[in-house]
Amino acid sequence: MYSVFVSYRRSDVPDVATEIADACIDRLGANKVFFDRSTLQPGDQWSSELLVAAELCDVMLVVIGPNWLGEPSKQLTNKLLKRNRLWDKNDYVQQEIESAYMASISNNNIIIPVLVGDTRLPQKKELPMLVNSLFESQVFRLSMHNRAEDIEVLVNYIEKKIPEIESENKQDAKDKIFVTI
């Protein structure tokens, strides 16, 4: 199964999420990284595959930009309370985070909020209860000025945090060494 799951909102910062996923794929391998645009194929049952991958990943990167909360859902909007899309049970970003969080209770997987640029972590009152798990994790701040370097630091951290990835990559490097006489 996938070691790293990249969660993002398509209406937020898809270009940054793609860069993060590409860097992870380059270092860890495509078979270790779930990113919907590169993992899912035509005909795949994307909704179930998305949630299973989120549940079984070792590390979930939640890429949060300025529009991550999304516009209030029409179903959730009333005169007294305007709630963002994360409160909608049909919102896939919400479902991904909840799946990973529920699995983390027994699997010890890691959820890393990746704040892009000057984006702030939402307030607890803006998030449904299980999505509030983001507040239990140290954030990773991705600077727009040093994006490539910051992504490299993030991938290095992931590689060290998941021992089987690090050992596989070391073995791959050993397999590539050859001697000519």
Side-chain angles (χ1 to χ4, degrees):
M1 197 31 79
Y2 302 101
S3 297
V4 178
F5 186 103
V6 181
S7 173
Y8 69 105
R9 190 172 297 288
R10 287 187 180 203
S11 61
D12 188 22
V13 285
D15 55 329
V16 176
T18 300
E19 284 183 53
I20 292 169
D22 288 347
C24 289
I25 290 168
D26 288 347
R27 283 274 291 285
L28 310 174
N31 62 331
K32 296 289 183 190
V33 181
F34 185 94
F35 183 62
D36 64 345
R37 291 184 177 183
S38 58
T39 304
L40 297 173
Q41 300 299 312
D44 285 350
Q45 298 296 312
W46 63 269
S47 60
S48 59
E49 289 196 30
L50 191 81
L51 297 178
V52 168
E55 183 179 327
L56 298 177
C57 70
D58 295 310
V59 175
M60 174 178 276
L61 302 175
V62 182
V63 183
I64 303 172
N67 300 313
W68 183 73
L69 289 175
E71 292 297 316
S73 167
K74 290 179 182 172
Q75 296 171 330
L76 298 173
T77 303
N78 63 38
K79 293 178 184 176
L80 300 174
L81 181 63
K82 287 189 177 184
R83 290 190 163 166
N84 61 61
R85 287 180 61 188
L86 290 169
W87 290 86
D88 184 348
K89 287 290 183 191
N90 295 317
D91 181 59
Y92 280 99
V93 172
Q94 180 253 21
Q95 291 178 23
E96 292 166 2
I97 296 167
E98 285 188 1
S99 293
Y101 176 71
M102 293 303 292
S104 73
I105 295 168
S106 59
N107 298 343
N108 295 320
N109 58 357
I110 302 164
I111 301 171
I112 303 173
V114 179
L115 299 179
V116 178
D118 295 331
T119 303
R120 66 168 181 82
L121 192 62
Q123 297 175 18
K124 281 189 172 192
K125 66 182 180 184
E126 294 177 286
L127 304 174
M129 187 173 70
L130 289 179
V131 179
N132 264 320
S133 64
L134 289 173
F135 289 98
E136 297 172 13
S137 302
Q138 177 63 37
V139 302
F140 182 86
R141 172 94 34 207
L142 189 103
S143 165
M144 295 306 285
H145 302 292
N146 298 317
R147 196 154 78 186
E149 293 87 359
D150 288 350
I151 291 172
E152 181 74 15
V153 168
L154 181 60
V155 176
N156 286 339
Y157 172 77
I158 292 167
E159 203 170 32
K160 289 176 184 157
K161 203 66 179 166
I162 306 172
E164 56 272 10
I165 288 179
E166 188 174 32
S167 63
E168 283 177 23
N169 287 346
K170 285 180 182 175
Q171 185 60 47
D172 287 347
K174 287 179 185 175
D175 291 345
K176 292 178 184 175
I177 297 173
F178 60 94
V179 178
T180 57
I181 302 176

